[in-house]
Amino acid sequence: MILFELIPFEYLRVIWWLLLGVLLIAFALTDGFDMGTGALLPFVAKTDTERRVVINTVGPVWEGNQVWFILGGGAIFAAWPPLYAVSFSGFYLAMFLILVALIVRPVGFKYRSKREDPAWRNFWDWVLFFGGALPALLFGVAVGNVLLGVPFHLTPDLMPIYEGGLFGKLFGLLRPFALLCGIVSISMLVMHGAGWLVLKTTGDVQARARRFGQTAALIVMAGYALAGLWLAFGIGGFAFVTEPPHDGPSNPLLSEVTRTGSWLAAYSARPWIIIAPVLGFLGTFMARRALSGQGELSPLLWSKMAIFGVISSVGLVMFPFILPSSTDPNSSLTVWDASSSHQTLFVMLVAGLIFLPIILAYTAWVYRVLWGKVGPEDVEDPERHAY
């Protein structure tokens, strides 16, 4: 028996669907508080010293946190090539804006304190705000568009054709439901960033972070509930008429798909997945409660639960669909027909089992070394090499 045949093809497809979700959630849990902190920077810190304190809470870790973004993109490219081709071409301009924001963020970290000029520093503070807030918003908008269905179709030779033109690839994404998802996303990461600042700072900065975090948590709960009602009564889901073989070739055109009912019908078919939105609401409620109290670590932990629940609920409701088509449902990409080959998924799994524990161990070690609060004395001491 060939080695990769030890694990059935359909199992590998599900495993890589799960691993992709793990990588995306890990990115939201780590780089998410970086983005939330950046979005909060102009509002929770009023003086130059306070802003330097806020920047230095994430300064030592943001580069490591973005590893999960790179791993997620790499996993999509290698494990789900059709998904990579359609999403990165259809969302091209949105992706470009996200990359611009992520590129200027490190420039802001490095350049902000190079000059004493208040105007110079204020400019880079708003660059850091842009670098945090814009990706947080657009990631949610992208998720909303995936739930709505993306306007693409596949030619008989499986070439993806995205409809809508150049500007449609950006402005066509700004549909009302997608914007609601964007608001939930940025509010959720602001809440997460507030939890991080409560853990890492003291005094006025911490107090302001608590207030903004509580407001963000309320917006998350209201927006998430509204999105659920919208999915239940205003947006059609996708379902198979003819399901492809789970271990068959990666050709979406071999199945027949229709738009029918609601995405939330998945809760009837798989009742256990209700745990995801329960965790989303419970985590958000408890994070707000912790932010209004005296807890310092608990707001961050509860917000992590909220993020896990909210993101998981989308993937579990959509399974096995990963990128449905609004213009040609039969071109929709699913777990069963949009993956790489059996051998490719197996080799990637072996590599992942080797390297992911190393990354996790190193990340845990870094956070252990950098544990503790950041105060004015840390940024004013020239020997500490603070931002």
Side-chain angles (χ1 to χ4, degrees), residues 328-342:
D328 180 19
N330 290 335
S331 294
S332 298
L333 308 181
T334 75
V335 171
W336 312 128
D337 55 25
S339 74
S340 292
S341 68
H342 192 169

Side-chain angles (χ1 to χ4, degrees), residues 110-290:
K110 300 295 185 181
Y111 279 45
R112 191 245 179 218
S113 296
K114 294 296 185 182
R115 295 174 57 184
E116 299 286 345
D117 182 11
W120 169 271
R121 294 189 171 188
N122 187 62
F123 168 78
W124 288 111
D125 289 339
W126 285 102
V127 167
L128 291 172
F129 166 81
F130 167 81
L134 186 64
L137 175 68
L138 290 181
F139 283 133
V141 169
V143 170
N145 276 278
V146 170
L147 287 164
L148 290 167
V150 179
F152 75 95
H153 68 273
L154 300 175
T155 64
D157 58 356
L158 300 184
M159 178 180 292
I161 305 295
Y162 189 93
E163 301 172 13
L166 179 62
F167 289 100
K169 292 182 178 181
L170 178 60
F171 297 108
L173 302 177
L174 304 180
R175 294 180 278 182
F177 177 77
L179 287 173
L180 173 62
C181 292
I183 292 171
V184 172
S185 174
I186 190 172
S187 301
M188 185 169 63
L189 296 188
V190 165
M191 175 184 70
H192 197 39
W196 174 255
L197 290 175
V198 166
L199 175 65
K200 297 291 288 185
T201 65
T202 59
D204 291 339
V205 173
Q206 186 189 72
R208 296 185 195 112
R210 288 186 184 277
R211 292 197 297 271
F212 279 103
Q214 291 175 59
T215 301
L218 287 175
I219 296 173
V220 173
M221 286 190 286
Y224 189 42
L226 179 58
L229 292 172
W230 205 329
L231 283 175
F233 301 108
I235 296 174
F238 289 75
F240 284 116
V241 175
T242 303
E243 189 167 351
H246 295 181
D247 58 353
S250 292
N251 184 347
L253 298 181
L254 296 180
S255 61
E256 185 178 354
V257 176
T258 184
R259 297 205 71 166
T260 180
S262 165
W263 281 121
L264 302 192
Y267 290 111
S268 298
R270 303 185 295 274
W272 60 271
I273 68 174
I274 192 67
I275 188 63
V278 168
L279 291 177
F281 280 114
L282 177 62
T284 306
F285 173 80
M286 293 302 296
R288 184 180 187 279
R289 183 178 179 183

Side-chain angles (χ1 to χ4, degrees), residues 91-113:
F91 297 163
Y92 178 80
L93 290 179
M95 290 289 185
F96 179 79
L97 288 177
I98 289 173
L99 288 176
V100 168
L102 295 179
I103 289 169
V104 300
R105 185 170 62 168
V107 178
F109 284 132
K110 300 295 185 181
Y111 279 45
R112 191 245 179 218
S113 296

